Amino acid sequence: MKTVFLLFDSLNKRMLNSYGGKYIETPNFNRLAKKSVQFNNHYIGSMPCMPARRDMHSGRLSFLHRAWGPLEPFDNSFPEILRLNNTYTHLVTDHYHYFEDGGATYHNRFNSWDFIRGQESDPWKAMVQPPLEKLREKYHQSQLNLTDRETGYYHYAINSEFIKEEKDFPSVKCFESGLDFININKDADNWFLQLETFDPHEPFFAPERFREKLKTNYTGPRLDWPQYDRVKETDDEVAELKANYIALVGLCDYLLGTVLDYFDENNLWNDTALILTTDHGFMLGEHDWWAKNRMPLYNEIANIPFYFYHPEYKQYSGEQRNVVTQNIDLMPTFMTMHGHNLPKEVKGKSILNFLDKDSENEHFALYGYWGGGINISDGNYTYFHFPENFDQYDRSRFQYTLMPTNMRQFFSHEELQTATMHEPFNFTKNIPVMKVNRILRKSDPHKSLEDTKCALYNLKEDPGQLNPINDEDLINKYKNLMLNEIKTYDPPKEILKNYFKEN
C-alpha cells in the first residue's frame, strides 16, 4: 500500500466549490472531488494545531486532559507504528510548530522528514539589526510589534524579506519536496507520505498572481494577519484580509493540482491512496469574529473538508458521504490500510468502512479546547456545552502530562511547584502522570473565551448556527450523549464535577 496524506492548516470548507463555495474557483479541489469520495460531515477533535495533530497520531481525543503539547511517551503514534512494522513513513512540512517545545516529539516518529523554513513566526532568518523603520512603513499598524524579538510579527516581517518570488514560498517548496519523494519512490511499495503545509493559515501571504483578480478598495500598508478578536476593522480592511486569505486558498488549489498532475502522468491512481483534509477551519468575520480560540466552535471552524481516494474503491469516485467522521479516525484508517492492528487505546474508527456506502448507524463527533466548552455534533444538530457561570467557576484547571511544555516554553516554575503524581488513566499504559495546575496568563486563549453559553443548533434548518433553539428534550439528549462519550475517555474528575455536576 502507498499513501499520500495531504494536510493543510486552517483550510475553510466553505471556500471550496465542491462544498458549495463561491468565493473563488478551486478547479483542483474539484478534480479531487471527482476522483475521490467526499465526506460532508468531517469534524475536528482537539483544538488547535498541535492538539489536533496529537489526535491524528493517536486516534483519540486529548483535549480533556491536556492543552497544547507534545506527544506523550504513552501515546500511540501511527507513523511510528508503521515505521516499526516495515512501512516507510516520511514527513514533508513547513509547519514550524513541530520544531518548538510544544511539538518536538511528532516529526521524530517518522522514518525521515524534511522541514521547510520561513512560515509565519518561524525563527528562520537572522537579522540582528533589521530595518525597523522600513518595516513599520510596510505593515499595517496591527502588525507593528516589531521591536520585541519574541513576537510573531518580528519574525514574519524579517522572513518575508527573503521570500521574493513564487519559488521562495515555503508551501511551494513543500510540494516540490513531496513530489520529489513520490518521484524517487513511486515504483517502491509500502510507504506513507505526509505532505503538510501551514497554508492557508495566517498570515495570508501568497504570490501576487493569486491576488491579481481579487481587487479591494483598501489602499493602506500590508494587511494580511487578522487579530484573534471581534471584527473591529473598517469594511475596506475586512475586504483586504478576506481577499488575502482567498488568494492563499488559490495557491493551495494550484499546489494540489501539481500532485494531481503527477498522479495522472504516472498512473498512480492504480496503486496509491490520496487523502486530503485540514486540522480546523477559520473565522473570517462570521458571527463577528476573526480566527479561532476565542469564540464557540462554530462550524466555520469545526466542520472541515475531507476527501478520500483509495484505488480499491475507485468505482465510488465522485460520490459523497454524510456519515460523521473526525480527525481521530485518521489513525485507525491509516493503520488498517497498511495492514496493522489497532492498539486498544484507539477511539477512532476506520473510514474505510464508509468508502462504499454511507453508515446505517448513528455516529457523532466530540470536540473542543482544553479548559473551554465541550461540543458534540451528529451532523443534524450541534450542541455547545459550558459549565454554568463559566467565567466564575473554579479556576483550578489541571493538565495531566509527562511532557511539561507549552507552545514555546516549559511550564512555569510556579506551575511546576503545584505538580503531584496522578494514578494512571486508562490510556497511559499503567504509567502515572503529573497533575499540574495551569496558572492562567493574559495570553491564554481559554481565559479570554467569550459567548460561553450552552447552545443547541439545528444544522439542517440553521446551517449558519445563528438561532439557538430551546428544546429541553433535545438538549438533554445531546448532553447525555456527550457525557457518556466523555466517560469512555477516563476523564479527570474535575471535568465531571465542573461541567456536569457529577461527583
Side-chain angles (χ1 to χ4, degrees):
M1 188 72 219
K2 296 184 282 192
T3 302
V4 176
F5 174 41
L6 299 181
L7 182 61
F8 292 90
D9 194 304
S10 307
L11 177 62
N12 289 276
K13 172 181 167 181
R14 66 194 182 283
M15 291 288 155
L16 309 179
N17 303 155
S18 70
Y19 284 105
K22 301 183 185 302
Y23 297 86
I24 184 179
E25 292 299 316
T26 52
N28 294 304
F29 282 100
N30 295 346
R31 285 171 65 190
L32 181 58
K34 291 176 182 177
K35 274 284 189 182
S36 66
V37 176
Q38 175 178 300
F39 286 76
N40 297 326
N41 285 309
H42 191 67
Y43 279 82
I44 61 173
S46 304
M47 283 286 291
C49 296
M50 295 321 293
R53 283 158 180 79
R54 187 176 172 199
D55 285 5
M56 294 178 196
H57 272 249
S58 67
R60 60 178 296 118
L61 299 170
S62 63
F63 77 89
L64 297 171
H65 298 83
R66 180 72 159 90
W68 185 297
L71 283 171
E72 300 278 350
F74 46 78
D75 281 341
N76 300 301
S77 168
F78 81 82
E80 180 165 65
I81 296 172
L82 296 184
R83 185 191 94 215
L84 296 176
N85 288 277
N86 297 316
T87 296
Y88 195 96
T89 56
H90 183 64
L91 172 68
V92 176
T93 186
D94 58 7
H95 199 289
Y96 72 101
H97 293 316
Y98 282 121
F99 300 87
E100 296 174 318
D101 290 339
T105 56
Y106 291 84
H107 66 283
N108 295 294
R109 310 280 70 78
F110 293 80
N111 284 89
S112 52
W113 62 88
D114 188 10
F115 176 32
I116 309 299
R117 304 298 303 271
Q119 285 280 18
E120 197 204 45
S121 307
D122 178 18
W124 176 39
K125 291 297 185 180
M127 295 182 72
V128 179
Q129 292 183 314
L132 293 180
E133 291 308 314
K134 170 189 169 185
L135 295 176
R136 287 192 184 98
E137 294 175 359
K138 185 174 182 178
Y139 289 91
H140 187 272
Q141 61 181 359
S142 63
Q143 300 176 219
L144 283 185
N145 191 356
L146 300 178
T147 55
D148 183 354
R149 292 175 178 171
E150 299 300 310
T151 69
Y153 301 121
Y154 175 88
H155 288 294
Y156 172 53
I158 293 173
N159 290 344
S160 296
E161 294 298 293
F162 295 87
I163 301 174
K164 302 290 188 183
E165 302 176 48
E166 185 168 323
K167 64 180 179 62
D168 302 327
F169 280 75
S171 56
V172 173
K173 293 180 178 179
C174 254
F175 275 72
E176 288 177 351
S177 177
L179 287 171
D180 185 56
F181 173 88
I182 297 173
N183 188 54
I184 292 171
N185 298 289
K186 65 180 184 298
D187 296 324
D189 195 11
N190 205 18
W191 51 258
F192 178 95
L193 167 66
Q194 181 165 322
L195 174 50
E196 173 180 357
T197 179
F198 199 62
D199 288 342
H201 191 289
E202 78 282 351
F204 307 143
F205 180 31
E208 182 58 33
R209 71 182 177 101
F210 296 98
R211 191 49 224 274
E212 288 173 348
K213 296 181 181 180
L214 302 169
K215 303 299 182 183
T216 71
N217 294 322
Y218 177 75
T219 58
R222 183 161 153 182
L223 176 59
D224 55 10
W225 195 330
Q227 306 301 297
Y228 282 44
D229 203 347
R230 299 277 188 186
V231 175
K232 299 175 182 176
E233 293 79 3
T234 67
D235 289 347
D236 287 346
E237 289 171 333
V238 169
E240 178 71 7
L241 285 165
K242 288 183 177 179
N244 282 324
Y245 177 83
I246 293 168
L248 203 48
V249 173
L251 172 62
C252 293
D253 182 82
Y254 165 76
L255 294 172
L256 169 60
T258 64
V259 174
L260 301 183
D261 289 346
Y262 193 92
F263 267 61
D264 288 344
E265 293 161 4
N266 294 275
N267 298 317
L268 291 187
W269 301 110
N270 293 329
D271 61 5
T272 309
L274 179 60
I275 294 94
L276 184 151
T277 192
T278 187
D279 51 358
H280 52 70
F282 193 89
M283 305 292 291
L284 287 165
E286 300 84 359
H287 302 275
D288 202 34
W289 279 107
W290 289 114
K292 56 187 186 289
N293 294 356
R294 298 282 312 281
M295 70 299 294
L297 282 170
Y298 295 109
N299 268 4
E300 286 84 359
I301 299 171
N303 184 203
I304 54 179
F306 185 75
Y307 303 92
F308 196 141
Y309 173 80
H310 193 297
E312 295 177 11
Y313 295 84
K314 63 175 61 177
Q315 64 269 39
Y316 303 103
S317 292
E319 294 188 4
Q320 299 185 15
R321 301 287 179 260
N322 293 314
V323 60
V324 174
T325 57
Q326 61 180 142
N327 278 343
I328 62 169
D329 298 333
L330 292 170
M331 185 269 203
T333 302
F334 296 143
M335 293 281 290
T336 302
M337 288 169 64
H338 287 269
H340 303 299
N341 295 325
L342 302 183
K344 65 180 181 180
E345 296 84 8
V346 172
K347 296 286 291 177
K349 58 188 179 296
S350 174
I351 301 173
L352 290 176
N353 296 326
F354 314 118
L355 289 182
D356 59 347
K357 62 182 182 305
D358 245 324
S359 175
E360 297 177 357
N361 300 317
E362 183 181 53
H363 295 277
F364 53 86
L366 185 74
Y367 50 98
Y369 297 99
W370 175 86
I374 303 176
N375 315 272
I376 194 168
S377 182
D378 61 1
N380 297 309
Y381 291 86
T382 294
Y383 175 58
F384 300 157
H385 183 74
F386 290 88
E388 294 180 11
N389 302 315
F390 178 79
D391 293 334
Q392 286 80 43
Y393 92 91
D394 185 3
R395 285 294 183 180
S396 293
R397 299 181 179 180
F398 297 99
Q399 296 200 72
Y400 298 86
T401 182
L402 291 173
M403 305 290 290
T405 59
N406 295 311
M407 186 177 184
R408 295 189 176 97
Q409 63 278 321
F410 298 112
F411 282 17
S412 69
H413 293 177
E414 187 180 10
E415 287 173 315
L416 289 171
Q417 287 163 6
T418 73
T420 59
M421 294 307 294
H422 187 279
E423 63 186 13
F425 289 100
N426 67 6
F427 59 92
T428 64
K429 298 183 171 69
N430 295 318
I431 301 170
V433 294
M434 295 169 58
K435 178 181 180 180
V436 182
N437 193 342
R438 178 70 179 268
I439 297 173
L440 302 178
R441 302 163 301 171
K442 290 182 178 180
S443 59
D444 283 340
H446 64 273
K447 185 178 181 181
S448 55
L449 278 169
E450 297 186 23
D451 302 339
T452 54
K453 303 295 182 184
C454 295
L456 176 71
Y457 295 96
N458 184 325
L459 297 178
K460 302 301 181 186
E461 297 178 3
D462 180 25
Q465 297 170 297
L466 300 174
N467 302 298
I469 59 178
N470 186 21
D471 185 320
E472 288 301 320
D473 289 339
L474 278 175
I475 288 172
N476 286 330
K477 171 188 173 180
Y478 287 100
K479 184 177 178 180
N480 288 330
L481 273 175
M482 175 184 291
L483 179 58
N484 290 337
E485 182 64 11
I486 287 171
K487 287 181 177 179
T488 70
Y489 280 88
D490 194 10
K493 292 179 181 178
E494 63 269 19
I495 294 281
L496 301 180
K497 175 184 177 182
N498 292 334
Y499 283 75
F500 301 99
K501 299 186 182 301
E502 290 201 357
N503 294 320

